[in-house]
Amino acid sequence: MPIGTPFHERTFALCESLSFRDWSGYYTVSTYETHHEHEYNAIRNAAALIDISPLFKYVVTGPDAARLVDRVITRDIRSMDVGQVFYTPWCDEHGAVIDDGTVSRLDEQRFRWTSAEPSLRWITLNAAGLNVEIADVSETTAALALQGPMAAQVLRAAADASIETLRYFRVRHGHIAGVPVDISRTGYTGDLGYEIWMPSERALDVWDALMSAGQAFELKAAGMLALDVARTEAGLLLLDVDYVGSRKALIQSQRYSPYELGLSRLVSLDKGPFVGRAALAAERRARPRRKIVGLEIEWSDVEARYDKVGLAPVAPAATSRVAVPVVRGSRQIGRATTTPWSPTLKRLIALATIDKPYYDEGTRVEFEITVEGVRHFVGARVVRTPFFNPPRKTATPPA
């Protein structure tokens, strides 16, 4: 049975819909109101506060901490400064992705590692022979995502920290309501945003301070339904939806390499040995057999299908996580795994796994929809992700 996060006392009181879901054993709000549009609009037009405490969190310290991190992840620690955050996958010995997450370098030999799935055993197994300590701080560390174009103003009003000089994918220490916190310029929405890490026992103090400061900036609590739309617009993948981690994969086709996830830029084959390097080096010499890409569905085709049965087309109320076929001619060439209506772009979009050679940008394909219980195919086009990529996402907000 799920339990409440450190913020449950506040999120439960705000959740008018009583719509919760299980995220790693915690109650997580799906949507606070009966529909998530106000929460989504807060992410894109004001500021939103999202409880991300169910993430798994580990702190790696010791003389060989950097060596361990470098041994496991695909990126090169030599280029990582203190105060920098890496988004990275990590792989098994066959080059298949186990999970993806962030690693923050808090000190020369101190790292905070986050993941969607439990990774303590894997990290510990790879620490053999190294002088390191690995602490599971998942329950003792609470986390919030403060996202949206007004997020910096909210944080300036609430935090004692040098926000003006905090660059994209950097982290620094500060205080909110007297509580020591780490603030990283990161997020899962593809917008301007921050993630705030704090001791669980003081979590409510931080929440209250942010909500109080945020009243002037239209800050709203946001749930998973709004986050699902935003992260898809940003082209960000979700484990167990857009791909399967190799430890859960039952058949070979469920295993994905970083190249198939579109993360080739995060693989540093010229660094020292790391788990999966040999397999990834061999794969790099050939184009991936498939790739996760973006699809834009032709709305005029959707309208025509509905019109044929005398109905008006209806944009999906929530993001679909049901995989549907993608075809080219009479051949199935892949499947769409996440499909939302983008309120910002006014388009039906999807993340899809597409086989070679059909994943090249601009390729025309067909996407399955269902109208009145009958399956049809409508036109779609392979596009580059992110679908939505505002300059403010990476910019440092001016004082």
Side-chain angles (χ1 to χ4, degrees):
M1 180 176 177
I3 61 174
T5 75
F7 302 104
H8 187 70
E9 186 177 334
R10 299 293 185 267
T11 58
F12 180 76
L14 291 172
C15 188
E16 299 173 2
S17 69
L18 293 180
S19 177
F20 290 86
R21 65 179 63 182
D22 183 335
W23 177 7
S24 298
Y26 290 92
Y27 283 114
T28 307
V29 176
S30 291
T31 177
Y32 285 88
E33 300 178 5
T34 54
H35 195 281
H36 60 276
E37 66 174 328
H38 292 151
E39 297 159 41
Y40 168 84
N41 287 334
I43 294 173
R44 289 289 180 247
N45 300 303
L49 198 59
I50 307 167
D51 182 0
I52 57 170
S53 299
L55 286 169
F56 292 90
K57 316 168 199 78
Y58 311 104
V59 172
V60 181
T61 56
D64 292 330
R67 286 183 62 194
L68 171 59
V69 174
D70 203 47
R71 176 184 288 184
V72 176
I73 69 172
T74 61
R75 298 188 65 176
D76 191 347
I77 285 296
R78 293 176 299 180
S79 64
M80 187 183 201
D81 299 324
V82 173
Q84 190 170 0
V85 183
F86 273 2
Y87 167 61
T88 180
W90 50 97
C91 300
D92 62 21
E93 63 274 21
H94 304 294
V97 175
I98 293 174
D99 201 347
D100 64 301
T102 61
V103 177
S104 303
R105 192 166 201 166
L106 304 178
D107 210 334
E108 197 63 38
Q109 295 291 350
R110 179 180 173 84
F111 299 83
R112 182 177 54 243
W113 197 320
T114 69
S115 63
E117 294 283 344
S119 293
L120 181 61
R121 183 174 182 271
W122 182 253
I123 298 171
T124 303
L125 285 173
N126 283 285
L130 299 181
N131 185 4
V132 295
E133 293 184 8
I134 306 163
D136 185 345
V137 297
S138 302
E139 295 185 7
T140 58
T141 302
L144 289 169
L146 176 63
Q147 304 286 300
M150 305 297 286
Q153 284 92 321
V154 175
L155 206 50
R156 287 193 193 103
D160 178 14
S162 303
I163 303 304
E164 284 74 14
T165 56
L166 182 58
R167 292 184 293 147
Y168 191 52
F169 270 79
R170 297 297 191 278
V171 60
R172 87 177 21 153
H173 192 70
H175 291 81
I176 297 176
V179 180
V181 297
D182 287 328
I183 302 171
S184 59
R185 180 67 173 80
T186 52
Y188 193 53
T189 64
D191 217 304
L192 190 155
Y194 303 86
E195 291 176 326
I196 305 163
W197 315 85
M198 71 213 74
S200 292
E201 67 271 14
R202 300 292 306 278
L204 294 182
D205 294 333
V206 175
W207 176 281
D208 292 343
L210 289 170
M211 292 299 284
S212 176
Q215 288 181 7
F217 305 101
E218 301 296 329
L219 176 66
K220 288 183 68 70
M224 295 297 103
L225 290 182
L227 181 60
D228 226 7
V229 178
R231 68 96 183 168
T232 309
E233 291 175 332
L236 299 174
L237 307 181
L238 182 60
L239 184 70
D240 292 334
V241 175
D242 299 307
Y243 78 97
V244 179
S246 67
R247 290 180 300 181
K248 286 186 175 179
L250 301 177
I251 54 178
Q252 183 58 37
S253 63
Q254 293 180 339
R255 295 175 171 85
Y256 283 76
S257 75
Y259 303 120
E260 293 173 330
L261 298 184
L263 301 179
S264 58
R265 69 189 186 281
L266 305 183
V267 179
S268 301
L269 294 176
D270 56 349
K271 71 168 186 172
F274 64 92
V275 182
R277 183 185 183 280
L280 293 175
E283 183 178 351
R284 189 178 67 170
R285 291 190 283 270
R287 293 185 74 195
R289 62 193 173 97
R290 60 184 178 176
K291 189 181 289 186
I292 296 181
V293 298
L295 294 182
E296 282 187 3
I297 291 88
E298 297 289 348
W299 189 246
S300 59
D301 287 4
V302 177
E303 288 179 322
R305 287 296 182 183
Y306 275 87
D307 185 63
K308 198 167 183 178
V309 297
L311 293 173
V314 179
T319 300
S320 171
R321 294 182 177 182
V322 178
V324 297
V326 176
V327 304
R328 171 87 173 212
S330 59
R331 176 185 177 188
Q332 182 170 345
I333 58 168
R335 66 187 188 278
T337 49
T338 302
T339 308
W341 173 263
S342 167
T344 297
L345 304 174
K346 303 297 187 288
R347 294 173 187 159
L348 187 62
I349 59 176
L351 295 173
T353 295
I354 303 295
D355 295 338
K356 183 175 69 173
Y358 305 106
Y359 54 62
D360 290 333
E361 187 178 356
T363 302
R364 309 295 298 192
V365 298
E366 292 185 297
F367 171 93
E368 185 185 273
I369 66 168
T370 301
V371 180
E372 287 296 285
V374 179
R375 296 176 180 179
H376 304 277
F377 284 95
V378 296
R381 180 169 57 93
V382 176
V383 298
R384 181 179 302 176
T385 57
F387 300 94
F388 178 69
N389 192 28
R392 65 178 181 255
K393 179 180 80 173
T394 58
T396 301

